[in-house]
Amino acid sequence: MEASVAAEEGEAKVLPTSTRKRGGWITFPFIIATMGGLSLACGGWTMNLMVYLIEEFNVKSIDAAQIFNIVNGCTALFPILGAIIADSFLGCFSVIWISSLFSLLGVVIITVTSTHDSLRPPHCETGSSFCKSPSPFQLSLLYSGLALGCLGVGGTRYTLGTMGANQFDNPKNQGSFFNWYFFTMYVSTMASVTALVYIEDSVSWVLGFGLSVLANLLGLLIFVLGNRFYRHVEANGSPFTGLARVIVAAVRKRSVFLSIKAEDYYQDQLGGVEKVVAHLPTKSLEFLNTAAVKTEGDIKLDGSIAKPWKLCTVKQVEDLKALIKIIPLWSTGIFVATPIAIQGSLVVLQALTMDRHIGPDFQIPAGSMVVFIFIFTAVSLTLIDRFLYPTWKKLTGRPPTPLQRIAVGHVLNVLSMAVSAMVESKRLNTAKSHQKDSILPISVIWLLPPLAIVGIGEAFHFPGQVSLYYQEFPASLKSTATAMVSLFIGIAYYLSTAIVDSARRMTSWLPDDINHGRLDNVYWVIVVLGVLNFTYFLVCSYFYEYQNPNIEVEDRSKLDK
């Protein structure tokens, strides 16, 4: 997205291609179709991965949940790497087609493991102690497919959106594109969670994965076919380079005395010449101000910087300060996403032990349970946008601030984990009286209330997070705001893996057969941690000072709190 923001500000450089005008709405069908195909393919192999590992590779249930969380963590973190490579080195087009090829190879390898019995351990009853573990070769082949698939997602998920926005000069058109882009991503993911997962569970793993291969291949072909219409934007370098320069310059000039005169600091440039209006850097985090102090040999005769890693502009220094100040608030998002990650994997294990029939003939696939989160999030987003926010504005005179939305999400997140713990207690009580049954006589519908609450919570806190970061991040880092959300989601998946692993090592709550464990205790621990995290959020919110003076709140008091 960095490139899209640069395009809005007139900073991006369009590569010369031909005299014929490129870009515009003619590129829209190609990019949206590519997004749909790649999202459908990704959902086809990720959403039902736990069930595939348990039923086809004889992986123990908790181990399968851990692998699932690691894969999801990679798919959340790698897009940031893909965006940086696209902006800094290769450009969007090259990163997208190379990554699409990686994901295609990955899905092909996963599909191959489902077609040949020699590439999987012998089939046995799920949960049996006599199941043979997969061989190192079988695991290495599967993991290779998963790794390539994650790399493929990393190079396309954000970069494709950036390239689409680069096709438009008008910010309004860019906004319309993003609406359709995320709508397509959302619908494609829901289709994979329902249709493809159902095919994999009820018809054939080979067919389900094969359709994912086809979707990925079509997405790649459509994207390449649209190349003659695309506007290509030159890689401008990562915005993080400027932040790193501030740190290095501040360390190198740590013994330099700070001046009280604005002209002693290097100001922003325009056309190679310093702007006339000079201003002092702020006094907060004052140790960074030395990076902008002009010393002998720092500036060329034309006014440009001679030593980029020894001198920075005041704006670059202030940009880094703004980022540092918001990091505590950002960190609270990690443990908002962590319970969701834990719940998303463990709910599949719960569903595998419950009656999943809806009517006499249809059975909900265990891997499709997360679709209910998507459904409740989508419905809640509509209701919140159309009814709740307008009502709030009428009552208070202003719309809810991002921090208020995030706070509601925190509360609902904790409530969801508490309800999950109570539902699990009921499931365990049923298991005690039906110890010989592999499928317990308790409906999977009991899992819907906590999933509904967490879905409603996501409708509050994730958009609130994006809105806050976009509002408060420096202009040069506006697009990085959405990547920051993806970053804490990725960290949350790895943290969830660590929490589950710690519970396994330190307690008897998570045995391979969860019917003999205390999964409800795990949820209660998460509730306690969630309350502590919410308290930390409230403290960070209270002391946070808005960086952007043009925020919707009419004064800079702590109205959010």
Side-chain angles (χ1 to χ4, degrees):
M1 287 186 173
E2 287 81 7
S4 65
V5 172
E8 286 185 36
E9 299 173 355
E11 297 174 358
K13 298 179 180 179
V14 179
L15 292 176
T17 50
S18 71
T19 57
R20 178 172 53 82
K21 180 177 175 61
R22 295 195 175 201
W25 286 106
I26 193 173
T27 64
F28 177 79
F30 294 97
I31 294 177
I32 288 298
T34 302
M35 185 69 245
L38 296 180
S39 296
L40 189 65
C42 176
W45 66 266
T46 56
M47 294 301 177
N48 213 22
L49 179 61
M50 279 183 60
V51 178
Y52 186 61
L53 291 171
I54 293 171
E55 295 185 352
E56 300 298 323
F57 273 78
N58 300 340
V59 177
K60 295 179 180 179
S61 59
I62 302 300
D63 291 332
Q66 298 290 71
I67 296 171
F68 177 77
N69 284 336
I70 291 173
V71 168
N72 278 281
C74 290
T75 59
L77 288 176
F78 285 1
I80 300 171
L81 177 62
I84 292 175
I85 293 174
D87 284 336
S88 305
F89 306 108
L90 300 180
C92 292
F93 180 80
S94 296
V95 168
I96 292 169
W97 79 259
I98 292 172
S99 300
S100 298
L101 186 59
F102 279 162
S103 62
L104 178 62
L105 292 174
V107 184
V108 167
I109 292 174
I110 295 172
T111 304
V112 169
T113 64
S114 69
T115 59
H116 298 282
D117 292 339
S118 61
L119 301 180
R120 303 188 310 278
H123 184 72
C124 69
E125 183 181 351
T126 300
S128 172
S129 58
F130 299 102
C131 292
K132 184 178 179 181
S133 299
S135 68
F137 172 74
Q138 291 169 339
L139 282 178
S140 63
L141 187 64
L142 176 65
Y143 290 160
S144 297
L146 297 178
L148 286 170
C150 290
L151 285 173
V153 173
T156 57
R157 179 164 289 176
Y158 287 151
T159 313
L160 194 57
T162 300
M163 183 168 179
N166 288 341
Q167 308 307 308
F168 303 97
D169 297 316
N170 188 325
K172 182 178 180 181
N173 289 337
Q174 290 178 339
S176 297
F177 165 77
F178 275 121
N179 287 340
W180 283 105
Y181 175 81
F182 286 112
F183 175 79
T184 303
M185 180 190 297
Y186 208 85
V187 170
S188 299
T189 302
M190 290 183 65
S192 63
V193 173
T194 51
L196 290 185
V197 169
Y198 179 80
I199 290 172
E200 290 162 0
D201 271 14
S202 304
V203 182
S204 166
W205 287 103
V206 177
L207 179 59
F209 289 149
L211 290 173
S212 296
V213 171
L214 180 61
N216 194 308
L217 178 61
L218 287 175
L220 173 58
L221 292 177
I222 291 172
F223 179 72
V224 174
L225 287 174
N227 186 38
R228 59 184 296 218
F229 303 109
Y230 300 144
R231 174 192 299 169
H232 296 278
V233 177
E234 183 180 9
N236 291 326
S238 171
F240 295 102
T241 302
L243 301 180
R245 284 175 52 198
V246 174
I247 297 173
V248 173
V251 172
R252 295 179 68 179
K253 291 185 172 181
R254 59 188 178 276
S255 59
V256 173
F257 289 102
L258 295 175
S259 173
I260 59 174
K261 297 180 180 180
E263 56 266 24
D264 291 334
Y265 294 90
Y266 192 71
Q267 307 296 326
D268 299 336
Q269 284 192 311
L270 186 63
V273 181
E274 281 191 84
K275 291 181 179 179
V276 177
V277 179
H279 56 277
L280 285 167
T282 59
K283 290 188 177 297
S284 61
L285 301 172
E286 200 171 30
F287 65 93
L288 294 174
N289 292 350
T290 57
V293 176
K294 294 184 287 188
T295 58
E296 186 178 353
D298 286 347
I299 304 174
K300 296 179 182 179
L301 294 176
D302 62 357
S304 61
I305 297 176
K307 300 177 181 179
W309 290 91
K310 195 177 179 183
L311 180 66
C312 303
T313 67
V314 172
K315 183 178 182 301
Q316 288 174 321
V317 172
E318 294 304 315
D319 285 353
L320 179 59
K321 289 181 181 180
L323 193 61
I324 292 174
K325 289 176 183 177
I326 205 170
I327 283 178
L329 269 175
W330 171 84
S331 67
T332 66
I334 295 175
F335 208 83
V336 173
T338 299
I340 299 173
I342 293 175
Q343 185 186 51
S345 57
L346 295 183
V347 74
V348 177
L349 301 183
Q350 291 173 288
L352 285 171
T353 69
M354 303 172 75
D355 180 9
R356 291 178 278 124
H357 284 90
I358 304 295
D361 301 320
F362 179 74
Q363 180 173 267
I364 301 175
S368 292
M369 291 303 299
V370 291
V371 77
F372 293 105
I373 297 179
F374 297 155
I375 293 172
F376 281 103
T377 301
V379 173
S380 300
L381 282 170
T382 303
L383 295 176
I384 290 169
D385 184 62
R386 297 291 182 180
F387 301 105
L388 180 59
Y389 288 170
T391 302
W392 179 288
K393 188 173 182 179
K394 286 181 180 180
L395 295 175
T396 65
R398 60 177 61 89
T401 63
L403 286 176
Q404 288 170 333
R405 284 178 270 170
I406 296 170
V408 174
H410 272 268
V411 174
L412 290 174
N413 199 28
V414 173
L415 178 61
S416 171
M417 296 306 120
V419 175
S420 291
M422 291 184 282
V423 170
E424 174 61 10
S425 295
K426 179 176 179 60
R427 194 195 66 82
L428 286 175
N429 288 333
T430 305
K432 289 178 182 178
S433 56
H434 297 80
Q435 296 185 10
K436 295 183 179 180
D437 296 339
S438 58
I439 302 297
L440 304 177
I442 177 173
S443 175
V444 77
I445 300 299
W446 279 97
L447 297 177
L448 293 191
L451 295 179
I453 297 172
V454 79
I456 297 170
E458 284 191 19
F460 279 97
H461 64 78
F462 278 142
Q465 299 270 7
V466 175
S467 178
L468 176 68
Y469 303 144
Y470 190 86
Q471 171 182 286
E472 293 295 284
F473 268 44
S476 60
L477 296 171
K478 287 295 185 185
S479 58
T480 309
T482 53
M484 294 298 287
V485 175
S486 179
L487 179 60
F488 75 59
I489 291 174
I491 295 173
Y493 273 109
Y494 290 118
L495 182 58
S496 69
T497 302
I499 291 174
V500 170
D501 187 61
S502 298
R504 292 180 68 187
R505 293 175 181 273
M506 300 171 62
T507 71
S508 58
W509 297 345
L510 290 175
D512 294 324
D513 185 352
I514 61 171
N515 287 343
H516 296 95
R518 291 300 306 270
L519 180 55
D520 55 334
N521 287 346
V522 176
Y523 283 128
W524 283 123
V525 169
I526 297 173
V527 169
V528 173
L529 294 176
V531 171
L532 293 175
N533 186 57
F534 181 50
T535 304
Y536 171 51
F537 167 80
L538 292 177
V539 173
C540 293
S541 299
Y542 183 80
F543 288 104
Y544 182 74
E545 295 183 2
Y546 286 109
Q547 309 301 315
N548 185 352
N550 298 318
I551 56 174
E552 294 177 344
V553 179
E554 295 176 358
D555 59 51
R556 298 178 67 81
S557 62
K558 304 299 184 294
L559 292 176
D560 297 27
K561 297 68 178 180

